[in-house]
Amino acid sequence: MKSTGTRVPSTRYRLKNCRICGSARIKQFLSLHYMPIPNGFVPKKDIKKKEFHFPLKVCVCTDCWLVQLTHVIPAEIMFRNYLYIPSTSTTVVAHFREMADHIIKNFNVKRKDLVIDIGSNDGTLLSNFQKKNIPVLGVDPAENIARQANKNGIRTLCTFFTEEKAQKIAQEYGKAKIITATNVIAHIQDLHDVMKGIALLLQDNGIFVMEAPYLADLVERNEFDTIYHEHLSYFSVHPLEVLFHQHGLKIIDIQKQSIHGGSLRVFVAKQSADYTVHPRVEKFLIEEKAKNLQNIKTYDDFALRVKKVKRDLLQFLRKIRKEGKTIIGYGAAAKGNVLLNYCDISTDLLDYIVDSIPYKQGKYTPGTHIPIYPESKIVKAMPDYTLILAWNFADEIIRKNQEYVQKGGRFIIPVPYLKIV
Ligand code: JHZ
C-alpha cells in the first residue's frame, strides 16, 4: 500500500540564492516531483500514518555553476536518527582503508597529530587512523550512530559541525592536522559556516580532504536517483574553487574515485600553506568546460534522459510482471527510494526488497511502502528478477549472490540505462 502523503507547499523551504556565490540567477532544470525524505523508512506501526512529501527539484546557478536543490529541508528532520551505515559494505570499508593509508603516507601524519572526521557515522574511516595510534575525533549529529561509534571506541561528539562548534573543539582538543568529510559537505546548507569552522580548526599546514559524488559523472551516467533531499549540492571543481577561495583555502590536488557512481576526492590547504598545486587541478577545470558543465543545455538534455530511464524501466518491469515473473529489489538505498517514488513503483511491481542493514529490515520504504527483508531471503525465495536499487554496489552484490545467479536468477540494473545481467 502506497502512502497517501501530505504535500508540503512548494513555497516552503525554497532556496532564494546560490549557496556558494549568493547569486539569484538560479535556473531549475529538473523536477522529480514530491517525495518523502529518502531515509525515512517506516516501521510497521506507522504504516497508516501520513508521510510528508517535499518538492524535489534541481537548479543550477548560472554564475558559479553550482547545481543544487531548489528546496532545503531542515537538517534536524533528516539527520537526528539516521539509518545509513557505511561499514556494512566491503567496498566502502576497503575504500576508507585506502583513503586513510593515502592520507597518512602523503601528508606524513604522526602519532601526535589529530584527525577529525565531519559526519563520521559509525567511525569506519577514523578506525583506520586509530589502529595506527593516531588520535581521532568524530563529529556526527545522528544520536543512534554516534552512540554506536563511541561504543566501538571511536571518540565521537554528537553534534552538527558549525563554526561555533569548531571553536569549542579547537579549545578542548587542539587544532587538527587532517580534517576529513566524506559524503557530508553536500548535505550542508550553510557551506560558509562550515568552511569558516574548517579554516579555524586546521593547523597552518593542515589538510582538509573531502569526498563527494562528482557532478560530471552524475550527468553523464544518468544517476538522477542520487538527487535527493539529503544532497543539497552536486559538486564540480569550479564552484568548489569559488567556495574555498572565499575562506582563504586552496585546492592542492584532486583524485577521481569510483565509489558511489563516481566521486571526487579533493585535497585542500590554507592559501598561506607551503603546498604546491598539482597540475591535475587545472586539468579538471579545463575538462569541466569541455564537458559543457557551464552550459544550461547540458542540464536540460540530462532531464530528458531521466524521463527515458523511467520509461524504459517501467516498460520492462510491467512486461515481465505480465508474464507472471516474480520481481524483488536489492538494497533499500536512499537512491532506491528516489527511483521507486519517481517511477511510482510499489508492491504492484516489486514484492519486497532485501537489504543488509539490520535497522532497515522489518521496515517499509518511504512513500512506496515495500517491505524490507534480510539478504538471505533471495536464495530461499529465488525470485525470477532482482532490481538492483543500490546499483553503485552492483559488482559486490552480484559477486556475493552467485548461488542465485547459478540457479537462474537475473539482475536488473536501472542506470545509466536498463541492463539485464
Ligand atoms: P548506499 C548514502 O546513500 C547516503 P544511499 C548518503 N546520503 C550519501 O551521501 C550516499 O550514500 C553517498 C544495501 N546493501 O550506500 C545497504 C546490501 O543490502 O548506496 C544499503 O541500504 N547489500 C550518506 O542510501 C544500500 O544497499 C550489499 O551487499 O543511496 C546501499 O546504500 C551492499 C553493498 C549494500 O547509499
Side-chain angles (χ1 to χ4, degrees):
M1 186 194 62
K2 274 185 260 186
S3 130
T4 41
T6 302
R7 285 190 174 188
V8 171
S10 83
T11 44
R12 225 157 136 202
Y13 308 132
R14 210 184 164 91
L15 184 85
K16 293 196 178 67
N17 297 89
C18 170
R19 174 170 305 114
I20 286 184
C21 73
S23 168
R25 286 193 283 190
I26 43 181
K27 188 176 178 306
Q28 184 184 314
F29 61 88
L30 176 68
S31 170
L32 297 173
H33 316 311
Y34 283 77
M35 297 245 172
I37 55 169
N39 272 308
F41 293 91
V42 187
K44 193 168 188 169
K45 68 176 176 45
D46 293 341
I47 204 86
K48 289 207 171 111
K49 275 194 190 160
K50 279 197 172 160
E51 288 167 273
F52 285 106
H53 287 214
F54 304 87
L56 184 58
K57 299 168 197 233
V58 202
C59 62
V60 61
C61 166
T62 56
D63 282 314
C64 77
W65 296 97
L66 177 70
V67 170
Q68 50 207 305
L69 291 191
T70 59
H71 290 75
V72 179
I73 303 174
E76 286 288 340
I77 298 183
M78 281 188 290
F79 300 118
R80 276 301 184 188
N81 189 41
Y82 202 48
L83 297 181
Y84 173 71
I85 317 266
S87 59
T88 50
S89 154
T90 54
T91 311
V92 175
V93 171
H95 175 83
F96 281 154
R97 195 181 313 121
E98 178 281 328
M99 179 175 178
D101 287 348
H102 179 90
I103 293 172
I104 294 170
K105 192 163 151 240
N106 283 272
F107 299 102
N108 198 17
V109 185
K110 296 269 181 341
R111 287 184 181 186
K112 63 176 181 15
D113 293 323
L114 174 64
V115 178
I116 294 179
D117 189 25
I118 302 173
S120 50
N121 203 288
D122 62 356
T124 307
L125 172 61
L126 285 179
S127 67
N128 295 292
F129 293 97
Q130 184 151 295
K131 269 181 217 144
K132 302 207 162 138
N133 296 318
I134 297 163
V136 299
L137 179 67
V139 183
D140 200 293
E143 282 158 15
N144 55 333
I145 287 170
R147 201 179 315 122
Q148 190 57 45
N150 278 311
K151 244 195 202 162
N152 298 343
I154 305 293
R155 186 171 61 166
T156 303
L157 303 177
C158 182
T159 177
F160 287 102
F161 184 87
T162 58
E163 184 190 7
E164 198 190 327
K165 253 295 145 332
Q167 238 146 14
K168 288 200 180 122
I169 293 173
Q171 274 161 13
E172 202 170 321
Y173 300 89
K175 293 198 174 188
K177 170 77 186 273
I178 302 292
I179 300 179
T180 50
T182 59
N183 297 306
V184 65
I185 299 299
H187 298 59
I188 297 172
Q189 157 65 353
D190 191 345
L191 290 178
H192 295 292
D193 184 63
V194 167
M195 288 306 143
K196 279 181 203 157
I198 289 170
L200 78 82
L201 194 51
L202 262 189
Q203 289 174 3
D204 288 343
N205 68 341
I207 295 289
F208 168 54
V209 190
M210 75 168 256
E211 274 192 6
Y214 188 26
L215 175 73
D217 294 327
L218 187 162
V219 170
E220 269 171 23
R221 301 181 197 165
N222 303 333
E223 296 167 350
F224 75 93
D225 49 355
T226 62
I227 296 172
Y228 48 78
H229 293 116
E230 285 179 13
H231 298 162
L232 304 177
S233 307
Y234 301 83
F235 292 115
S236 54
V237 177
H238 178 72
L240 280 175
E241 280 243 307
V242 175
L243 174 68
F244 293 134
H245 186 80
Q246 293 177 45
H247 295 280
L249 301 167
K250 63 180 175 189
I251 300 178
I252 57 164
D253 200 2
I254 304 172
Q255 291 175 346
K256 265 302 294 289
Q257 297 291 326
S258 59
I259 197 122
H260 296 306
S263 297
L264 283 180
R265 181 181 290 168
V266 185
F267 298 87
V268 179
K270 292 194 174 179
Q271 276 164 14
S272 53
D274 199 18
Y275 289 104
T276 48
V277 176
H278 197 285
R280 253 194 303 266
V281 179
E282 186 59 26
K283 219 172 134 221
F284 267 92
L285 289 167
I286 294 168
E287 262 175 33
E288 286 183 358
K289 277 223 160 123
K291 287 180 176 172
N292 280 321
L293 288 189
Q294 289 155 31
N295 182 342
I296 189 73
K297 186 174 180 304
T298 305
Y299 302 102
D300 290 338
D301 291 349
F302 166 71
L304 291 176
R305 291 200 301 277
V306 170
K307 287 193 179 139
K308 181 170 159 41
V309 170
K310 173 178 176 171
R311 250 194 337 263
D312 290 352
L313 177 64
L314 278 176
Q315 240 170 34
F316 181 73
L317 293 180
R318 284 179 186 143
K319 179 176 130 322
I320 55 174
R321 202 56 158 180
K322 246 193 183 159
E323 290 165 4
K325 305 287 189 220
T326 45
I327 321 169
I328 67 155
Y330 206 116
K335 66 177 74 59
N337 289 328
V338 174
L339 183 129
L340 296 171
N341 278 285
Y342 176 63
C343 298
D344 204 13
I345 295 171
S346 181
T347 42
D348 51 339
L349 289 172
L350 291 193
D351 296 329
Y352 56 89
I353 294 173
V354 294
D355 193 282
S356 59
I357 299 184
Y359 289 115
K360 295 186 183 177
Q361 296 161 7
K363 296 202 170 70
Y364 293 78
T365 52
T368 51
H369 291 180
I370 303 173
I372 303 164
Y373 292 101
E375 287 171 296
S376 54
K377 192 167 164 78
I378 184 173
V379 274
K380 283 187 211 134
M382 278 306 297
D384 299 310
Y385 286 89
T386 297
L387 172 64
I388 303 190
L389 296 161
W391 46 257
N392 47 325
F393 295 122
D395 289 347
E396 183 176 338
I397 288 169
I398 295 171
R399 219 182 308 127
K400 77 197 239 194
N401 285 288
Q402 277 310 302
E403 192 183 337
Y404 170 69
V405 176
Q406 270 150 24
K407 286 184 177 163
R410 304 178 106 193
F411 284 109
I412 307 168
I413 301 175
V415 299
Y417 48 82
L418 189 70
K419 202 163 105 186
I420 316 301
V421 183

